């Protein structure tokens, strides 16, 4: 699967958040590479956990900065719906021993890209 690349189109105009998005892209790429590289289940679990933990931390950072936006609750709900999905994925993988499939990974990637471009950029501009 193709790796993802951060470019200026993803910039929200706040350095701290741009850096976090760049780091998030790196963690997603680690996950894509681990997924595609035939690595062990343990390794896949480690990268998955690292990515999910960082997503959580990153959303928290964004939410601290976006509280004043009139549609803040809508944004926060997008985050929490996504976190729920990642936790379900993690639970299925760890507890039920299910595999990760390419469709799930594609969903994750497209959600992140669309959320940054469609929601984050808009919200930070409107602040
Ligand atoms: Fe966001």
């Amino acid at each position: 699967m193709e790796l993802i690349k951060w470019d200026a189109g993803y910039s929200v105009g706040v350095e701290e958040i741009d850096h976090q998005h760049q780091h998030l892209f790196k963690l997603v790429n680690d996950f894509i590479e681990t997924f595609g590289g035939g690595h062990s289940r343990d390794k896949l679990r480690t990268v998955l956990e690292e990515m999910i933990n960082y997503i959580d931390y990153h959303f928290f950072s964004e939410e601290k900065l976006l509280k004043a936006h009139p549609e803040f609750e809508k944004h926060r709900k997008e985050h929490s719906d996504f976190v729920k999905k990642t936790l379900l994925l993690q639970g299925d993988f760890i507890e039920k021993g299910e595999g990760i499939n390419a469709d799930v990974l594609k969903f994750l990637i497209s959600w992140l890209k669309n959320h940054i471009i469609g929601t984050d950029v808009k919200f930070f501009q409107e602040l």
Side-chain angles (χ1 to χ4, degrees), residues 10-99:
Y10 292 101
S11 176
V12 301
V14 177
E15 210 179 341
E16 180 195 359
I17 299 299
D18 284 347
H19 283 158
Q20 288 188 5
H21 284 150
Q22 285 161 11
H23 187 63
L24 188 54
F25 274 35
K26 189 208 165 284
L27 294 177
V28 171
N29 283 334
D30 286 349
F31 189 65
I32 295 171
E33 282 182 331
T34 308
F35 173 77
H39 290 278
S40 71
R41 208 177 155 80
D42 276 353
K43 169 76 180 160
L44 201 55
R45 175 186 175 152
T46 307
V47 244
L48 177 67
E49 281 175 347
E50 199 183 343
M51 183 179 68
I52 289 176
N53 290 342
Y54 193 76
I55 286 172
D56 224 31
Y57 160 78
H58 163 64
F59 284 172
F60 184 71
S61 306
E62 260 188 13
E63 288 168 12
K64 273 200 296 194
L65 296 175
L66 289 170
K67 280 203 173 86
H69 192 284
E71 287 181 277
F72 171 69
E73 282 307 326
K74 193 177 144 236
H75 196 140
R76 187 156 72 171
K77 184 157 188 323
E78 278 190 35
H79 285 172
S80 66
D81 287 348
F82 184 69
V83 166
K84 275 181 210 152
K85 285 194 179 120
T86 61
L87 292 177
L88 276 178
L89 169 73
Q90 194 179 24
D92 286 349
F93 181 75
I94 294 169
E95 283 147 36
K96 294 189 200 158
E98 287 180 13

